Amino acid sequence: ILRIEQLHPFPINEVRQALEQYGAGEILWVQEEPWNQGAWHYVYPRLSMALEQGQRLRYIGRPESASPATGNYKIHLAEEQEFLNQVFASHQPRVRPARRNKEQGVES
């Protein structure tokens, strides 16, 4: 998890350096605000310039909305839980089924 505290001026060099450690794969921008609000549209082109080769950027958060909140606390919590589930589901380690070495009877 990388948290960007200062959006302007955008710390491109610091972000680029931080993203280097992750290698190829998906980089997620997660925000609580709806897609058409919050920082996504400002940071998208800037983060795109900071990506390493093989990295791709994806938004996770609430869908587009005219209001910054649902107005219902239970719905708010359900939406928040849904996008957090998306975040952690996309970074689950891939488990390879164990195989037995017939000669040694050892799992690899």
Side-chain angles (χ1 to χ4, degrees):
I1 296 176
L2 176 65
R3 182 174 167 172
I4 302 174
E5 291 283 335
Q6 175 180 314
L7 297 178
H8 186 76
F10 191 78
I12 186 102
N13 293 327
E14 292 87 347
V15 171
R16 186 176 286 135
Q17 185 178 19
L19 292 177
E20 285 175 358
Q21 67 182 319
Y22 294 101
E26 192 169 56
I27 304 297
L28 306 175
W29 174 265
V30 182
Q31 72 178 31
E32 188 174 9
E33 296 85 6
W35 178 82
N36 58 320
Q37 299 172 28
W40 169 246
H41 294 287
Y42 176 78
V43 300
Y44 177 76
R46 290 156 181 83
L47 274 175
S48 296
M49 292 187 324
L51 296 178
E52 293 286 304
Q53 184 173 354
Q55 291 178 332
R56 38 189 200 288
L57 184 59
R58 182 166 67 106
Y59 167 86
I60 292 183
R62 290 188 165 84
E64 185 174 350
S65 175
S67 173
T70 64
N72 182 302
Y73 187 65
K74 287 183 180 182
I75 294 173
H76 168 82
L77 291 178
E79 287 178 347
E80 190 171 77
Q81 188 61 53
E82 174 59 30
F83 71 75
L84 289 174
N85 289 343
Q86 289 178 42
V87 168
F88 293 109
S90 61
H91 286 7
Q92 291 295 321
R94 303 242 161 98
V95 178
R96 179 174 59 105
R99 295 182 301 171
R100 289 206 171 265
N101 181 327
K102 291 181 183 179
E103 295 172 2
Q104 298 174 353
V106 178
E107 292 184 19
S108 61

